[in-house]
Amino acid sequence: MQDKTFEQVFIERLNSVEARAKKLGMTITHVCRESGVARATPDRWRANTPNTIALIDKMEAVVAAHEKAA
């Protein structure tokens, strides 16, 4: 079995954040706003994967906090 590339893992995490947020009734705009990420950033990430995961970590933390509250 071949290991996943950084790009594949990153996009999976981004998709997971969006899906989890949608389940909670949140938009990606709301997640971006709460995590301090510009709304255009996830779209840009889909075109060109960044070299760091720090911002996606923030976005995941926002969704996780809302999941706990739900």
Side-chain angles (χ1 to χ4, degrees):
M1 185 171 150
Q2 186 180 17
D3 291 333
K4 294 181 181 179
T5 65
F6 174 81
E7 182 177 358
Q8 290 170 323
V9 172
F10 188 89
I11 295 301
E12 284 176 5
R13 287 179 68 183
L14 181 57
N15 290 339
S16 173
V17 165
E18 288 181 311
R20 289 167 47 209
K22 187 176 180 179
K23 249 184 173 176
L24 295 167
M26 299 169 63
T27 63
I28 192 66
T29 300
H30 183 87
V31 174
C32 289
R33 186 179 308 119
E34 280 197 34
S35 57
V37 174
R39 175 56 189 94
T41 300
D43 297 332
R44 197 171 54 249
W45 286 341
R46 290 193 186 287
N48 298 306
T49 305
N51 295 326
T52 183
I53 60 170
L55 292 177
I56 195 76
D57 287 342
K58 285 183 181 182
M59 293 174 71
E60 285 178 331
V62 167
V63 174
H66 282 269
E67 286 174 330
K68 278 186 175 183

